[in-house]
Short mmCIF file of all heavy atoms in Angstrom, two decimals:
data_model
loop_
_atom_site.label_atom_id
_atom_site.label_comp_id
_atom_site.label_asym_id
_atom_site.label_seq_id
_atom_site.Cartn_x
_atom_site.Cartn_y
_atom_site.Cartn_z
N ALA A 1 -5.51 17.24 -27.56
CA ALA A 1 -4.34 18.09 -27.25
C ALA A 1 -3.34 18.00 -28.40
O ALA A 1 -3.26 16.99 -29.09
CB ALA A 1 -3.69 17.67 -25.97
N THR A 2 -2.62 19.10 -28.61
CA THR A 2 -1.56 19.15 -29.61
C THR A 2 -0.33 19.80 -29.00
O THR A 2 -0.39 20.55 -28.04
CB THR A 2 -1.96 19.92 -30.85
OG1 THR A 2 -2.25 21.28 -30.48
CG2 THR A 2 -3.17 19.30 -31.52
N ILE A 3 0.82 19.45 -29.58
CA ILE A 3 2.05 20.09 -29.20
C ILE A 3 2.87 20.30 -30.48
O ILE A 3 3.07 19.42 -31.31
CB ILE A 3 2.84 19.21 -28.18
CG1 ILE A 3 4.09 19.93 -27.71
CG2 ILE A 3 3.14 17.81 -28.71
CD1 ILE A 3 4.72 19.30 -26.46
N SER A 4 3.31 21.54 -30.66
CA SER A 4 4.05 21.92 -31.86
C SER A 4 5.51 21.41 -31.75
O SER A 4 5.98 20.95 -30.72
CB SER A 4 4.03 23.43 -32.06
OG SER A 4 4.87 24.03 -31.04
N SER A 5 6.21 21.57 -32.90
CA SER A 5 7.60 21.18 -32.88
C SER A 5 8.39 22.04 -31.88
O SER A 5 9.44 21.61 -31.37
CB SER A 5 8.21 21.34 -34.31
OG SER A 5 8.02 22.65 -34.76
N GLY A 6 7.92 23.22 -31.63
CA GLY A 6 8.58 24.11 -30.68
C GLY A 6 8.12 23.94 -29.21
O GLY A 6 8.62 24.62 -28.35
N GLY A 7 7.16 23.07 -29.02
CA GLY A 7 6.69 22.77 -27.66
C GLY A 7 5.46 23.54 -27.23
O GLY A 7 5.00 23.39 -26.05
N THR A 8 4.84 24.31 -28.12
CA THR A 8 3.58 24.98 -27.77
C THR A 8 2.44 24.00 -27.71
O THR A 8 2.27 23.18 -28.59
CB THR A 8 3.29 26.07 -28.81
OG1 THR A 8 4.35 27.05 -28.84
CG2 THR A 8 1.99 26.79 -28.43
N THR A 9 1.68 24.07 -26.64
CA THR A 9 0.60 23.14 -26.42
C THR A 9 -0.79 23.77 -26.57
O THR A 9 -0.96 24.99 -26.37
CB THR A 9 0.68 22.47 -25.01
OG1 THR A 9 0.67 23.48 -24.02
CG2 THR A 9 1.99 21.67 -24.87
N ASN A 10 -1.73 22.92 -26.89
CA ASN A 10 -3.13 23.38 -27.04
C ASN A 10 -4.00 22.27 -26.56
O ASN A 10 -3.75 21.08 -26.87
CB ASN A 10 -3.41 23.72 -28.53
CG ASN A 10 -4.80 24.14 -28.73
OD1 ASN A 10 -5.31 25.12 -28.11
ND2 ASN A 10 -5.56 23.46 -29.59
N TYR A 11 -5.11 22.61 -25.86
CA TYR A 11 -6.00 21.62 -25.27
C TYR A 11 -7.46 21.92 -25.59
O TYR A 11 -7.84 23.08 -25.64
CB TYR A 11 -5.80 21.55 -23.73
CG TYR A 11 -4.43 21.16 -23.29
CD1 TYR A 11 -3.45 22.07 -23.00
CD2 TYR A 11 -4.12 19.80 -23.13
CE1 TYR A 11 -2.18 21.69 -22.60
CE2 TYR A 11 -2.89 19.41 -22.70
CZ TYR A 11 -1.91 20.34 -22.41
OH TYR A 11 -0.66 19.97 -22.04
N ALA A 12 -8.20 20.86 -25.68
CA ALA A 12 -9.66 20.98 -25.75
C ALA A 12 -10.12 21.48 -24.38
O ALA A 12 -9.52 21.15 -23.34
CB ALA A 12 -10.31 19.66 -26.04
N ASP A 13 -11.16 22.30 -24.34
CA ASP A 13 -11.65 22.81 -23.07
C ASP A 13 -12.04 21.75 -22.08
O ASP A 13 -11.85 21.89 -20.90
CB ASP A 13 -12.88 23.74 -23.32
CG ASP A 13 -12.49 25.05 -23.98
OD1 ASP A 13 -11.28 25.42 -23.95
OD2 ASP A 13 -13.39 25.73 -24.55
N SER A 14 -12.53 20.65 -22.62
CA SER A 14 -13.02 19.57 -21.77
C SER A 14 -11.90 18.86 -20.97
O SER A 14 -12.18 18.16 -20.02
CB SER A 14 -13.78 18.51 -22.60
OG SER A 14 -12.90 18.01 -23.60
N VAL A 15 -10.64 19.06 -21.42
CA VAL A 15 -9.53 18.33 -20.73
C VAL A 15 -8.53 19.29 -20.10
O VAL A 15 -7.58 18.84 -19.40
CB VAL A 15 -8.79 17.39 -21.69
CG1 VAL A 15 -9.78 16.45 -22.36
CG2 VAL A 15 -7.96 18.15 -22.70
N LYS A 16 -8.74 20.59 -20.26
CA LYS A 16 -7.78 21.58 -19.66
C LYS A 16 -7.71 21.38 -18.16
O LYS A 16 -8.73 21.25 -17.48
CB LYS A 16 -8.22 22.97 -20.01
CG LYS A 16 -7.85 23.43 -21.39
CD LYS A 16 -8.30 24.87 -21.66
CE LYS A 16 -7.91 25.30 -23.05
NZ LYS A 16 -8.44 26.68 -23.37
N GLY A 17 -6.48 21.40 -17.63
CA GLY A 17 -6.30 21.23 -16.22
C GLY A 17 -6.25 19.78 -15.75
O GLY A 17 -5.88 19.53 -14.61
N ARG A 18 -6.63 18.87 -16.63
CA ARG A 18 -6.60 17.45 -16.26
C ARG A 18 -5.56 16.63 -17.10
O ARG A 18 -4.96 15.69 -16.61
CB ARG A 18 -8.01 16.82 -16.48
CG ARG A 18 -9.06 17.47 -15.63
CD ARG A 18 -10.40 16.71 -15.70
NE ARG A 18 -10.90 16.64 -17.09
CZ ARG A 18 -11.16 15.52 -17.73
NH1 ARG A 18 -10.95 14.33 -17.17
NH2 ARG A 18 -11.68 15.54 -18.94
N PHE A 19 -5.39 17.01 -18.37
CA PHE A 19 -4.51 16.28 -19.27
C PHE A 19 -3.30 17.13 -19.57
O PHE A 19 -3.39 18.37 -19.64
CB PHE A 19 -5.20 15.97 -20.60
CG PHE A 19 -6.32 14.94 -20.49
CD1 PHE A 19 -6.83 14.49 -19.27
CD2 PHE A 19 -6.88 14.42 -21.68
CE1 PHE A 19 -7.85 13.54 -19.23
CE2 PHE A 19 -7.92 13.52 -21.64
CZ PHE A 19 -8.39 13.07 -20.42
N THR A 20 -2.15 16.46 -19.79
CA THR A 20 -0.93 17.16 -20.17
C THR A 20 -0.25 16.40 -21.33
O THR A 20 -0.02 15.20 -21.20
CB THR A 20 0.05 17.25 -19.00
OG1 THR A 20 -0.59 17.92 -17.90
CG2 THR A 20 1.28 18.00 -19.41
N ILE A 21 0.01 17.14 -22.37
CA ILE A 21 0.72 16.53 -23.54
C ILE A 21 2.17 16.95 -23.44
O ILE A 21 2.49 18.09 -23.03
CB ILE A 21 0.10 16.96 -24.89
CG1 ILE A 21 0.70 16.20 -26.04
CG2 ILE A 21 0.19 18.48 -25.07
CD1 ILE A 21 -0.02 16.42 -27.37
N SER A 22 3.07 16.02 -23.75
CA SER A 22 4.49 16.34 -23.79
C SER A 22 5.17 15.50 -24.82
O SER A 22 4.59 14.54 -25.35
CB SER A 22 5.11 16.08 -22.40
OG SER A 22 4.97 14.71 -22.04
N ARG A 23 6.39 15.83 -25.14
CA ARG A 23 7.14 15.10 -26.16
C ARG A 23 8.57 14.95 -25.73
O ARG A 23 9.16 15.87 -25.06
CB ARG A 23 7.03 15.79 -27.52
CG ARG A 23 7.67 17.12 -27.62
CD ARG A 23 7.29 17.84 -28.95
NE ARG A 23 7.82 17.11 -30.09
CZ ARG A 23 7.30 17.25 -31.33
NH1 ARG A 23 6.34 18.11 -31.57
NH2 ARG A 23 7.82 16.56 -32.33
N ASP A 24 9.16 13.84 -26.18
CA ASP A 24 10.61 13.57 -25.97
C ASP A 24 11.17 13.30 -27.33
O ASP A 24 11.01 12.21 -27.87
CB ASP A 24 10.80 12.38 -25.03
CG ASP A 24 12.26 12.12 -24.66
OD1 ASP A 24 13.13 12.45 -25.49
OD2 ASP A 24 12.50 11.54 -23.60
N ASN A 25 11.82 14.31 -27.90
CA ASN A 25 12.32 14.18 -29.27
C ASN A 25 13.42 13.10 -29.37
O ASN A 25 13.56 12.45 -30.42
CB ASN A 25 12.81 15.52 -29.79
CG ASN A 25 11.68 16.47 -30.05
OD1 ASN A 25 10.52 16.08 -30.22
ND2 ASN A 25 11.98 17.77 -30.06
N ALA A 26 14.22 12.96 -28.33
CA ALA A 26 15.28 11.93 -28.37
C ALA A 26 14.67 10.53 -28.46
O ALA A 26 15.27 9.64 -29.11
CB ALA A 26 16.17 12.06 -27.14
N LYS A 27 13.54 10.33 -27.82
CA LYS A 27 12.91 9.01 -27.86
C LYS A 27 11.86 8.92 -28.95
O LYS A 27 11.23 7.88 -29.14
CB LYS A 27 12.23 8.72 -26.51
CG LYS A 27 13.21 8.59 -25.34
CD LYS A 27 12.52 8.25 -24.06
CE LYS A 27 13.52 8.03 -22.94
NZ LYS A 27 12.84 7.66 -21.64
N LYS A 28 11.64 10.03 -29.67
CA LYS A 28 10.63 10.06 -30.77
C LYS A 28 9.28 9.63 -30.24
O LYS A 28 8.58 8.84 -30.88
CB LYS A 28 11.10 9.18 -31.92
CG LYS A 28 12.40 9.69 -32.61
CD LYS A 28 12.78 8.84 -33.79
CE LYS A 28 13.26 7.48 -33.40
NZ LYS A 28 13.69 6.70 -34.59
N THR A 29 8.92 10.19 -29.10
CA THR A 29 7.69 9.76 -28.44
C THR A 29 6.90 11.00 -27.93
O THR A 29 7.54 11.93 -27.44
CB THR A 29 8.01 8.81 -27.27
OG1 THR A 29 8.69 7.64 -27.78
CG2 THR A 29 6.74 8.36 -26.56
N VAL A 30 5.59 10.88 -28.06
CA VAL A 30 4.71 11.90 -27.49
C VAL A 30 3.86 11.24 -26.41
O VAL A 30 3.51 10.04 -26.58
CB VAL A 30 3.84 12.59 -28.54
CG1 VAL A 30 2.89 11.64 -29.24
CG2 VAL A 30 3.07 13.76 -27.98
N TYR A 31 3.58 11.94 -25.35
CA TYR A 31 2.82 11.38 -24.24
C TYR A 31 1.55 12.17 -23.94
O TYR A 31 1.43 13.37 -24.29
CB TYR A 31 3.69 11.43 -22.94
CG TYR A 31 5.00 10.72 -23.07
CD1 TYR A 31 6.17 11.44 -23.35
CD2 TYR A 31 5.10 9.34 -22.92
CE1 TYR A 31 7.39 10.82 -23.49
CE2 TYR A 31 6.32 8.71 -23.05
CZ TYR A 31 7.45 9.45 -23.29
OH TYR A 31 8.69 8.79 -23.44
N LEU A 32 0.60 11.51 -23.35
CA LEU A 32 -0.59 12.20 -22.86
C LEU A 32 -0.86 11.68 -21.44
O LEU A 32 -1.26 10.54 -21.25
CB LEU A 32 -1.82 11.90 -23.74
CG LEU A 32 -3.04 12.72 -23.34
CD1 LEU A 32 -2.90 14.20 -23.62
CD2 LEU A 32 -4.28 12.20 -24.10
N GLN A 33 -0.56 12.57 -20.48
CA GLN A 33 -0.87 12.25 -19.09
C GLN A 33 -2.27 12.64 -18.79
O GLN A 33 -2.66 13.81 -18.96
CB GLN A 33 0.12 12.91 -18.14
CG GLN A 33 -0.15 12.74 -16.67
CD GLN A 33 0.08 11.30 -16.24
OE1 GLN A 33 1.08 10.67 -16.64
NE2 GLN A 33 -0.82 10.69 -15.48
N MET A 34 -3.09 11.67 -18.38
CA MET A 34 -4.53 11.96 -18.13
C MET A 34 -4.83 11.72 -16.65
O MET A 34 -4.67 10.58 -16.16
CB MET A 34 -5.39 11.03 -19.01
CG MET A 34 -5.07 11.12 -20.49
SD MET A 34 -6.17 10.16 -21.52
CE MET A 34 -5.77 8.51 -21.01
N ASN A 35 -5.24 12.73 -15.98
CA ASN A 35 -5.56 12.69 -14.58
C ASN A 35 -7.03 13.01 -14.35
O ASN A 35 -7.68 13.57 -15.26
CB ASN A 35 -4.71 13.68 -13.77
CG ASN A 35 -3.22 13.36 -13.84
OD1 ASN A 35 -2.82 12.21 -13.95
ND2 ASN A 35 -2.42 14.38 -13.76
N SER A 36 -7.55 12.67 -13.21
CA SER A 36 -8.95 12.97 -12.88
C SER A 36 -9.92 12.53 -13.96
O SER A 36 -10.78 13.28 -14.40
CB SER A 36 -9.16 14.47 -12.60
OG SER A 36 -8.28 14.92 -11.55
N LEU A 37 -9.69 11.30 -14.42
CA LEU A 37 -10.49 10.80 -15.55
C LEU A 37 -11.94 10.66 -15.21
O LEU A 37 -12.33 10.38 -14.09
CB LEU A 37 -9.92 9.47 -16.02
CG LEU A 37 -8.65 9.58 -16.86
CD1 LEU A 37 -7.90 8.28 -16.90
CD2 LEU A 37 -8.99 10.04 -18.27
N LYS A 38 -12.77 10.96 -16.21
CA LYS A 38 -14.22 10.90 -16.10
C LYS A 38 -14.80 9.87 -17.07
O LYS A 38 -14.20 9.58 -18.09
CB LYS A 38 -14.83 12.28 -16.44
CG LYS A 38 -14.23 13.43 -15.59
CD LYS A 38 -14.82 14.76 -16.10
CE LYS A 38 -14.27 15.94 -15.28
NZ LYS A 38 -14.79 17.22 -15.80
N PRO A 39 -15.98 9.35 -16.79
CA PRO A 39 -16.59 8.40 -17.73
C PRO A 39 -16.69 8.98 -19.14
O PRO A 39 -16.55 8.19 -20.14
CB PRO A 39 -17.96 8.15 -17.13
CG PRO A 39 -17.77 8.34 -15.66
CD PRO A 39 -16.78 9.47 -15.57
N GLU A 40 -16.89 10.28 -19.26
CA GLU A 40 -17.01 10.87 -20.62
C GLU A 40 -15.70 10.95 -21.37
O GLU A 40 -15.67 11.32 -22.51
CB GLU A 40 -17.64 12.24 -20.51
CG GLU A 40 -16.97 13.19 -19.54
CD GLU A 40 -17.76 13.22 -18.22
OE1 GLU A 40 -18.14 12.13 -17.69
OE2 GLU A 40 -17.92 14.30 -17.66
N ASP A 41 -14.59 10.61 -20.72
CA ASP A 41 -13.31 10.49 -21.40
C ASP A 41 -13.14 9.13 -22.12
O ASP A 41 -12.16 8.93 -22.83
CB ASP A 41 -12.17 10.66 -20.41
CG ASP A 41 -12.09 12.02 -19.84
OD1 ASP A 41 -12.31 13.04 -20.52
OD2 ASP A 41 -11.87 12.13 -18.57
N THR A 42 -14.09 8.24 -21.91
CA THR A 42 -14.03 6.95 -22.57
C THR A 42 -14.09 7.11 -24.11
O THR A 42 -14.98 7.75 -24.62
CB THR A 42 -15.20 6.04 -22.10
OG1 THR A 42 -15.05 5.81 -20.71
CG2 THR A 42 -15.26 4.76 -22.88
N ALA A 43 -13.08 6.52 -24.77
CA ALA A 43 -12.97 6.69 -26.21
C ALA A 43 -11.78 5.89 -26.70
O ALA A 43 -10.96 5.42 -25.88
CB ALA A 43 -12.84 8.14 -26.62
N VAL A 44 -11.65 5.79 -28.00
CA VAL A 44 -10.40 5.33 -28.62
C VAL A 44 -9.59 6.58 -28.85
O VAL A 44 -10.02 7.56 -29.46
CB VAL A 44 -10.64 4.57 -29.93
CG1 VAL A 44 -9.35 4.19 -30.57
CG2 VAL A 44 -11.53 3.35 -29.69
N TYR A 45 -8.35 6.53 -28.35
CA TYR A 45 -7.42 7.65 -28.48
C TYR A 45 -6.42 7.40 -29.58
O TYR A 45 -5.77 6.34 -29.62
CB TYR A 45 -6.70 7.90 -27.12
CG TYR A 45 -7.58 8.56 -26.12
CD1 TYR A 45 -8.67 7.91 -25.50
CD2 TYR A 45 -7.39 9.90 -25.73
CE1 TYR A 45 -9.49 8.53 -24.64
CE2 TYR A 45 -8.20 10.52 -24.84
CZ TYR A 45 -9.27 9.81 -24.29
OH TYR A 45 -10.09 10.44 -23.38
N TYR A 46 -6.30 8.38 -30.46
CA TYR A 46 -5.43 8.28 -31.64
C TYR A 46 -4.31 9.30 -31.57
O TYR A 46 -4.54 10.48 -31.23
CB TYR A 46 -6.22 8.52 -32.91
CG TYR A 46 -7.28 7.48 -33.19
CD1 TYR A 46 -8.58 7.70 -32.74
CD2 TYR A 46 -6.96 6.31 -33.89
CE1 TYR A 46 -9.57 6.73 -32.99
CE2 TYR A 46 -7.98 5.39 -34.15
CZ TYR A 46 -9.24 5.59 -33.67
OH TYR A 46 -10.23 4.68 -33.95
#
């Protein structure tokens, strides 16, 4: 998933509807909320 400086988001088809990317510019932090996780989501996340 990606999120632009303006807040536009983009997702891989495999995670649409399950993952949500967001950002908090004041905290200089980006988040990835992952729901309904599947074994195939197992990976190192960067």
Side-chain angles (χ1 to χ4, degrees):
T2 62
I3 184 166
S4 72
S5 58
T8 300
T9 58
N10 179 55
Y11 296 92
D13 287 343
S14 59
V15 307
K16 280 181 181 177
R18 299 189 298 122
F19 291 10
T20 302
I21 189 171
S22 61
R23 65 190 297 161
D24 185 332
N25 289 339
K27 294 183 178 179
K28 297 183 289 183
T29 300
V30 63
Y31 304 97
L32 185 68
Q33 177 66 44
M34 304 186 294
N35 299 328
S36 302
L37 282 160
K38 304 175 181 180
E40 52 263 44
D41 294 318
T42 295
V44 178
Y45 283 70
Y46 296 92

